[in-house]
Amino acid sequence: MHFVVCAKQIPDPETPPSAFKIDEATNTVVPAQGFQPVLSQYDGIAAEAALQIKEAQGDDAKITVLSVGAESAQAAIKQVLAMGADEGVLLQDDAFEDGDSHTTAKVLAAAISNLGDVDAVFCGRQAADWDVGQVGLLVAEALGWPVAILAKDVEISDGSMKTTRVLADGFETVSQGLPAVVTVSNEFGEPRYPKLQQIMQAAKKTVTTMTHEDLGLDPSEVGSSGARLKLEKLYIPQSDSQVEIIEGETPEEQATNLVAKLVADKVL
Amino acid sequence: MVANSSTQNNRLQSQLIGKWWMPAIALSLGGLYLAMQFSATEGAGRESFFNVAHPWSVYVFMSSLVGLLVYGLVRHATLWRLGKDTPESVFANLPHRFKNVFRLGVAQDKVRRDRYAAVMHWSISSSIVVLTLVTAQVAIQDDTPLNFLHGSYYLFFSFYGDLFGLIGLIGVGMAMWRRYFIDFSRIRWDERPEDHLIIVGLGLVLLSGFFVEAFRIEVTELTQHPDWAKWSFVSYVLANLFEIFSMSDNQILWSHSAMWWTHVVLAFSWLALIVFTRLDHLFFAPINAFLLRTDSPGRLSTIPNIEEQEIFGVGYVQDFSWKQLFELDACVRCGRCTDVCPANLAGQPLSPMHLIQDLKGHLASVGPSIQKVGNEGGDTRSVSPISMVGEVIQDETLWACRTCGACVQECPVMIEHVPTIVDMRRFLVMDEARLPQTAQAALQNIEMRGHPWSGTALERTTWMDGLGDVPIFDGTQDYLYWVGCSGSLVERNLPVTKAVFRLLQESGSSFGVLGQEETCNGDPARRLGNEYLYQILAEQLIGTFKEKNVQKVITNCPHCFNTFKNEYPQFDGHFEVLHHTEFLNSQLQSGALKVQHELPDTVTYHDSCYLGRINGVYDAPRQILNFIPGTNIQEMERNMSKGLCCGAGGGNMWQEEVGERRVNHVRSEEAIATGANKVVSNCPFCIQMFEDGVPAMQPDEVGRIEPFDVAEILELAVFGEQDSSIEEKTEI
Ligand SMILES: Cc1cc2nc3c(=O)[nH]c(=O)nc-3n(C[C@H](O)[C@H](O)[C@H](O)COP(=O)(O)OP(=O)(O)OC[C@H]3O[C@@H](n4cnc5c(N)ncnc54)[C@H](O)[C@@H]3O)c2cc1C
Ligand code: SF4
Ligand code: SF4
């Protein structure tokens, strides 16, 4: 079997608010000094799901990691390789830049078709930078494959994929024929810590790079030219908070004063 | 400045105990002098094997004993040989090693850390040594042309033979008192039948020795040479007692001969216990003192060429070094290590004694088969039916260790538990990738963000807010002030960093900081077992230091201090490193810093493991506190080298604790018990642990003991309360 994990490299979500800056003139995020981009956390979980299935099958299933991104995204690919994935392909091209979920999915789908024998695609539930949560669905759409989103459990057997999905009010188990796409949610569990031997093997592996030509894509349908989403304005919302200490001798008195205050302010 | 009295008391006591051998020497010299005075006794002496039918049989016993000892040694050595080479040569630094043999092996420095045991063990060991020499002299007198056992020397010989026999019996008595008559638990945590055999056996050997002598004296000296007999003062008393039974000479001779044989058989059997019981520490302890590392206990060994290795850390018994295997055999199950282990005190699943004993048992059970399979060229890693790391030693046991070094400090046979534990952690992390989720998060955070504080909202420069111009180190200043991850990324520690900064500035010192360019120095990674990550970080930072021409470093954190000072030299990073308390103390001493304000406070001082026990800095922080008028130190029960870990060491800052209690609760309780109003430390981790532990142990906010860093207190004393960073702490 051949599985694909889609891994996105994102600006570190743990960048402290004070270091997070936006250039409002160009509507772009100014890379925070001293903060390296990281693998989107949900993609580590997606990789974990694929690895567990590979291990459960015990056969020579193969896992390929795909990432659309800049040269630096090699690090994200290597991280998944260190976890135990077999091959990595970086989809890197100026033409892919400044796309949206739709164009990213188009590139990924082209790469998956290019691989040929893929049985299942594992995406994260959403990329932890923009939190859009569309790419997995759009990849399935582009490939014409079934998709299950927000999976907390995934099993693959007898040519079908069974997933347990996290819904607002419970869980839902669905089965779909292969090939299929799944987006994996954080309820699945934590990604593994790579063994040193694997880290070093991963460091030695070469990551293939592919461009629009390799994938047979027209530059006009990908990246900024193909994007349907137009970014109007990017800004950090102002938030203000005021603290008022409610006086009172006893907790009861404080509570009474608080209620009076809330009523006066028309909160209650 | 008056040094604190309880600290001074401690010093004095330890110095006095340090002189325990003085009375012994004085007594012996006195005896010799007295003997010399008795010129009338020139003819004193005796027949060596008086009344013994086949004295040569002693040599049969003797050679069997030697044979047995050799057998025992070979049996042990084949198992030790399963181990790998030691990471550092055990022959480097020979003078230091011989000093250790004398200080730790012969003078039993570590044994003396328990005063009762000091007297007991010295009594027993000195008596064994002296009586062996006494016996050897008899043999030399008898079987060589040398003739010296007569006259004054004979009398002196009789005197000290008896003296040390008596001392030995006192020691045996003390040992039996502890073992059988009082509730002294630690020696019973792993009690075995051999323990009774050893102590009762030795008592019988000594008693029978006195009996033999008493019977002989009764026949040969009591009436003929009473002035000689008195020199064997114990047997003399005994012989006089025997007179009550008014036995015939023949009866006495028969009793003497029977007793002699009993004594010889007992003595040799007892010595044979060396081969089969923990009595082997007679040899192993001094040898292990020789093998003890001569560098800092704060230094873990490196894995050279780590990228080319296939085995990381120790997952199988044959992955240990032979020295680590040897050590297992030296353990005497005294329980001292477990008695001081913070994890054990908090009811967590770690007892260093049991860890060592379990490994020893494992080596004994699988060692011979591993050796056999190895000799046949087979796969030694599949020999053991159970996994050493995971089953013999459980993961949670390894994770519970704080690398605080208390066990190593106490171990009377110089076992180094910490490297052994960390070696197994290395296996868990690098080979098996099996580690607690929170530890994993810390390590991954270091990998991704260069610091272990996942989730922090602070930047490395946040602490500089409001401090005006903070000089960035550019190679022209004398000192690099190293703030560290905890000093800049953990809110509670910002006031400490500010305080140190302002004090450095006030003292007029030439220094700069790295600000945004600081990264984790690797200590948490190394202690958690990720040596690979540690090496990457260490090499990177050493590069930065060299590039910026850093020569001298002042650190906030004892862990950074230890890493720079003791571990960076392994990677060719040689810097002069000071902890802020050392530097600030020197500035106070020189007058560059002046205390302007009185602080009427009773404080208790907590020695962090990595500044105190591991690097021996006990005085500087206390001296700073003593500089402050009105402040007096109330020591905790466990202090200085016996100080208890706060609970955070060894990467436990980033782990959930498993067990009955939390270590910081235990230590907070001890701080509270002093009645002090502040608990002062020198380490960002300790302070965080107290901030968390104190409220749990002292829920009432009124009168609660407050945790501070020494620098915060000094800042108050130098700048006054109105003008200190400490205020910010209450705002958090
Ligand atoms: C407001 C806004 C501003 C933007 N600004 C920029 C910008 O300044 N520069 C820029 O380059 N792009 C920008 N983008 C585009 C953005 O990077 C794309 O939307 C992104 O490539 C698709 O990710 P997503 O957040 O939609 O992914 P989601 O749909 O949230 O991701 C779901 C899953 O799809 C997979 N996946 C997503 N992206 C990739 C990928 N690149 N490679 C491999 N797998 C992937 C992962 O498995 C992921 O877990 C912007 C988008 C928005 C909405
Ligand atoms: S180093 Fe400290 S925590 Fe670890 S075993 Fe020794 S005493 Fe216990
Ligand atoms: S390891 Fe040392 S301190 Fe611990 S029980 Fe053994 S001999 Fe005693």
Side-chain angles (χ1 to χ4, degrees):
Chain A
M1 294 214 129
H2 190 175
F3 305 142
V4 159
V5 173
C6 299
K8 183 183 182 185
Q9 192 182 45
I10 60 170
D12 190 349
E14 284 204 11
T15 309
S18 57
F20 185 78
K21 303 218 162 52
I22 273 175
D23 182 350
E24 295 198 11
T26 56
N27 271 350
T28 49
V29 178
V30 182
Q33 226 211 329
F35 292 88
Q36 304 303 319
V38 299
L39 172 70
S40 174
Q41 70 189 86
Y42 302 111
D43 299 355
I45 302 171
E48 179 64 38
L51 283 162
Q52 284 186 17
I53 292 170
K54 174 178 161 161
E55 281 158 5
Q57 294 194 336
D59 68 8
D60 40 17
K62 183 166 102 176
I63 298 180
T64 303
V65 196
L66 296 181
S67 186
V68 183
E71 182 68 29
S72 68
Q74 289 247 12
I77 295 178
K78 291 263 161 139
Q79 199 172 328
V80 182
L81 288 176
M83 286 174 71
D86 303 280
E87 279 169 24
V89 182
L90 175 64
L91 308 163
Q92 184 196 9
D93 195 323
D94 290 348
F96 298 160
E97 266 176 38
D98 294 331
D100 60 4
S101 307
H102 172 77
T103 58
T104 304
K106 194 173 258 178
V107 176
L108 288 170
I112 292 163
S113 307
N114 187 275
L115 288 170
D117 58 348
V118 175
D119 299 284
V121 176
F122 293 78
C123 288
R125 59 174 286 172
Q126 66 206 59
D129 50 355
W130 301 108
D131 290 322
V132 182
Q134 293 291 316
V135 170
L137 285 158
L138 295 168
V139 166
E141 165 83 18
L143 293 166
W145 295 357
V147 57
I149 62 162
L150 300 178
K152 81 180 253 289
D153 280 314
V154 191
E155 279 171 43
I156 288 182
S157 57
D158 306 329
S160 82
M161 174 193 277
K162 199 167 100 185
T163 50
T164 305
R165 301 182 48 224
V166 181
L167 306 182
D169 51 357
F171 303 113
E172 178 188 65
T173 304
V174 293
S175 234
Q176 49 193 358
L178 294 181
V181 180
V182 60
T183 78
V184 185
S185 188
N186 43 312
E187 285 85 356
F188 183 88
E190 293 291 332
R192 68 191 57 197
Y193 190 73
K195 298 182 179 182
L196 182 51
Q197 203 66 264
Q198 289 175 316
I199 295 178
M200 292 188 315
Q201 276 162 11
K204 286 189 200 119
K205 279 188 185 155
T206 43
V207 173
T208 333
T209 305
M210 288 186 144
T211 60
H212 74 273
E213 285 151 10
D214 302 320
L215 299 175
L217 288 164
D218 190 320
S220 67
E221 49 178 359
V222 290
S224 51
S225 345
R228 301 173 185 185
L229 192 90
K230 189 170 178 315
L231 182 61
E232 292 281 352
K233 183 169 162 56
L234 192 63
Y235 64 98
I236 298 174
Q238 293 297 321
S239 69
D240 246 346
S241 65
Q242 276 172 2
V243 181
E244 191 177 329
I245 307 288
I246 306 289
E247 304 289 340
E249 288 295 317
T250 60
E252 289 78 7
E253 204 181 311
Q254 287 169 346
T256 317
N257 291 346
L258 173 61
V259 171
K261 174 87 185 148
L262 290 172
V263 170
D265 289 355
K266 299 207 166 57
V267 181
L268 289 180
Chain B
M1 284 298 135
V2 191
N4 177 271
S5 64
S6 70
T7 315
Q8 215 173 33
N9 267 346
N10 262 331
R11 283 287 154 77
L12 197 66
Q13 278 170 356
S14 68
Q15 268 169 13
L16 280 179
I17 304 176
K19 304 281 181 288
W20 56 271
W21 39 270
M22 294 293 269
I25 293 188
L27 266 176
S28 312
L29 290 179
L32 184 60
Y33 173 75
L34 280 177
M36 297 302 197
Q37 299 304 304
F38 276 76
S39 46
T41 53
E42 257 325 300
R46 70 161 157 108
E47 185 189 334
S48 294
F49 285 104
F50 163 77
N51 186 37
V52 174
H54 306 288
W56 49 265
S57 55
V58 169
Y59 294 97
V60 176
F61 282 119
M62 186 75 195
S63 21
S64 332
L65 178 65
V66 171
L68 256 181
L69 287 176
V70 171
Y71 156 79
L73 183 72
V74 170
R75 199 185 51 153
H76 279 302
T78 44
L79 291 183
W80 304 329
R81 283 191 43 223
L82 289 177
K84 298 192 295 199
D85 284 349
T86 53
E88 284 96 27
S89 160
V90 295
F91 296 108
N93 217 345
L94 277 182
H96 194 130
R97 288 179 190 276
F98 284 116
K99 204 175 111 201
N100 278 350
V101 172
F102 184 78
R103 195 169 64 86
L104 305 171
V106 181
Q108 303 167 12
D109 244 25
K110 301 259 184 174
V111 181
R112 300 200 322 253
R113 292 176 64 84
D114 167 351
R115 288 165 205 178
Y116 186 94
V119 178
M120 173 193 92
H121 191 268
W122 178 79
S123 302
I124 293 177
S125 59
S126 60
S127 119
I128 294 169
V129 172
V130 171
L131 295 180
T132 308
L133 291 178
V134 163
T135 314
Q137 291 181 50
V138 175
I140 294 170
Q141 166 75 26
D142 193 56
D143 299 320
T144 67
L146 292 176
N147 179 17
F148 58 98
L149 267 188
H150 55 78
S152 303
Y153 184 71
Y154 169 70
L155 295 181
F156 174 56
F157 168 87
S158 307
F159 166 76
Y160 74 66
D162 269 40
L163 176 66
F164 279 88
L166 183 63
I167 288 176
L169 275 178
I170 291 172
V172 169
M174 289 177 79
M176 291 177 108
W177 175 253
R178 254 194 178 177
R179 193 169 287 280
Y180 302 119
F181 298 98
I182 55 168
D183 182 22
F184 189 72
S185 49
R186 72 165 163 77
I187 52 170
R188 249 168 268 140
W189 286 334
D190 189 4
E191 195 170 54
R192 300 182 192 176
E194 62 177 61
D195 300 344
H196 311 293
L197 214 56
I198 291 172
I199 199 63
V200 176
L202 180 61
L204 292 177
V205 171
L206 293 171
L207 276 179
S208 59
F210 277 126
F211 275 59
V212 176
E213 198 183 26
F215 285 129
R216 180 184 55 77
I217 287 179
E218 213 179 344
V219 198
T220 61
E221 287 179 11
L222 213 48
T223 44
Q224 302 88 321
H225 303 286
D227 53 332
W228 298 1
K230 281 179 190 147
W231 284 93
S232 307
F233 63 100
V234 177
S235 312
Y236 176 72
V237 174
L238 263 183
N240 276 309
L241 277 177
F242 292 163
E243 289 285 278
I244 302 171
F245 302 108
S246 44
M247 293 188 270
S248 70
D249 268 8
N250 263 346
Q251 280 172 322
I252 297 175
L253 284 176
W254 183 88
S255 307
H256 172 264
S257 151
M259 211 20 106
W260 190 89
W261 283 105
T262 312
H263 176 69
V264 168
V265 170
L266 277 175
F268 279 105
S269 314
W270 191 83
L271 286 172
L273 289 179
I274 293 176
V275 181
F276 305 103
T277 69
R278 62 181 179 143
L279 208 52
D280 51 15
H281 77 278
L282 228 86
F283 295 113
F284 293 169
I287 297 177
N288 210 30
F290 179 88
L291 298 177
L292 183 69
R293 61 171 59 205
T294 52
D295 54 14
S296 164
R299 175 184 292 187
L300 291 170
S301 62
T302 56
I303 301 179
N305 305 325
I306 192 162
E307 312 223 339
E308 287 148 37
Q309 304 298 322
E310 286 183 356
I311 300 167
F312 303 102
V314 173
Y316 299 81
V317 78
Q318 61 270 36
D319 295 342
F320 281 121
S321 75
W322 60 262
K323 192 253 181 186
Q324 283 171 308
L325 297 182
F326 170 82
E327 257 175 10
L328 305 177
D329 279 334
C331 173
V332 290
R333 289 179 282 110
C334 67
R336 290 177 188 229
C337 50
T338 295
D339 202 27
V340 296
C341 174
N344 179 67
L345 283 168
Q348 298 179 2
L350 164 63
S351 153
M353 170 177 82
H354 289 100
L355 179 126
I356 295 292
Q357 284 297 324
D358 290 347
L359 289 175
K360 176 177 170 167
H362 181 62
L363 173 65
S365 80
V366 301
S369 336
I370 292 179
Q371 203 207 3
K372 193 160 151 268
V373 172
N375 287 346
E376 290 159 2
D379 174 19
T380 57
R381 299 182 105 65
S382 53
V383 172
S384 175
I386 54 171
S387 50
M388 184 178 79
V389 177
E391 289 178 285
V392 178
I393 307 294
Q394 312 220 312
D395 291 12
E396 57 188 24
T397 297
L398 297 172
W399 293 117
C401 176
R402 270 61 181 186
T403 68
C404 73
C407 49
V408 180
Q409 172 82 49
E410 294 307 324
C411 181
V413 299
M414 283 62 72
I415 290 173
E416 298 173 276
H417 314 66
V418 176
T420 293
I421 290 173
V422 174
D423 277 344
M424 289 187 278
R425 279 189 180 182
R426 286 177 174 176
F427 173 77
L428 275 178
V429 172
M430 295 187 288
D431 201 279
E432 300 286 278
R434 212 163 74 214
L435 62 164
Q437 182 51 46
T438 46
Q440 172 175 334
L443 286 175
Q444 276 170 330
N445 212 68
I446 297 176
E447 282 162 29
M448 294 198 290
R449 309 187 172 98
H451 68 78
W453 296 109
S454 153
T456 179
L458 304 182
E459 286 186 78
R460 289 206 185 258
T461 48
T462 308
W463 64 270
M464 300 179 185
D465 293 349
L467 288 177
D469 261 353
V470 175
I472 296 297
F473 186 87
D474 57 15
T476 58
Q477 299 99 329
D478 293 343
Y479 291 95
L480 166 68
Y481 169 37
W482 177 265
V483 175
C485 305
S486 305
S488 59
L489 299 171
V490 178
E491 202 130 22
R492 167 60 187 93
N493 298 318
L494 299 199
V496 182
T497 306
K498 291 184 181 206
V500 176
F501 173 80
R502 294 187 66 210
L503 290 165
L504 290 178
Q505 215 171 29
E506 177 72 14
S507 70
S509 312
S510 147
F511 73 101
V513 299
L514 284 187
Q516 211 59 272
E517 283 188 81
E518 277 197 9
T519 53
C520 177
N521 59 49
D523 166 75
R526 188 169 232 200
R527 300 270 157 339
L528 281 169
N530 195 334
E531 177 68 11
Y532 179 68
L533 181 56
Y534 165 75
Q535 292 193 5
I536 293 175
L537 294 162
E539 276 163 11
Q540 195 180 319
L541 192 56
I542 290 170
T544 309
F545 277 11
K546 286 185 175 167
E547 193 182 299
K548 296 195 181 289
N549 195 23
V550 172
Q551 312 275 349
K552 299 178 186 175
V553 189
I554 299 169
T555 73
N556 253 8
C557 167
H559 297 268
C560 302
F561 171 76
N562 180 67
T563 301
F564 294 157
K565 188 180 159 109
N566 297 319
E567 301 196 319
Y568 275 15
Q570 292 170 316
F571 298 90
D572 198 29
H574 303 272
F575 311 102
E576 188 185 322
V577 190
L578 293 169
H579 183 258
H580 73 62
T581 54
E582 292 178 293
F583 186 78
L584 295 176
N585 184 43
S586 71
Q587 298 304 294
L588 282 169
Q589 305 283 358
S590 72
L593 266 181
K594 288 197 175 56
V595 169
Q596 313 275 11
H597 301 265
E598 190 169 336
L599 297 179
D601 263 331
T602 300
V603 304
T604 189
Y605 176 73
H606 166 85
D607 291 279
S608 67
C609 305
Y610 275 79
L611 190 64
R613 183 164 40 241
I614 289 170
N615 284 295
V617 181
Y618 301 115
D619 294 340
R622 287 181 170 83
Q623 279 167 4
I624 294 180
L625 294 172
N626 282 325
F627 250 101
I628 303 171
T631 293
N632 92 72
I633 308 177
Q634 184 64 46
E635 294 284 352
M636 282 183 256
E637 186 82 5
R638 303 173 209 263
N639 58 48
M640 307 232 272
S641 70
K642 294 197 170 173
L644 180 69
C645 175
C646 67
N652 270 265
M653 188 78 232
W654 302 280
Q655 286 183 52
E656 299 291 340
E657 284 172 85
V658 222
E660 288 160 26
R661 299 191 67 191
R662 304 179 64 165
V663 174
N664 63 339
H665 290 181
V666 178
R667 189 54 167 168
S668 297
E669 227 166 44
E670 298 187 350
I672 294 165
T674 61
N677 52 339
K678 287 180 178 149
V679 48
V680 183
S681 188
N682 51 61
C683 169
F685 298 141
C686 297
I687 290 173
Q688 282 169 259
M689 290 317 252
F690 281 119
E691 289 285 2
D692 172 83
V694 167
M697 294 294 101
Q698 228 178 7
D700 196 353
E701 223 172 304
V702 183
R704 188 188 277 171
I705 190 170
E706 283 185 285
F708 287 107
D709 189 279
V710 181
E712 289 177 299
I713 303 289
L714 183 60
E715 190 197 19
L716 277 176
V718 170
F719 297 99
E721 193 150 358
Q722 296 311 312
D723 185 26
S724 282
S725 319
I726 230 167
E727 283 307 297
E728 290 179 20
K729 187 200 152 194
T730 38
E731 285 167 21
I732 289 163

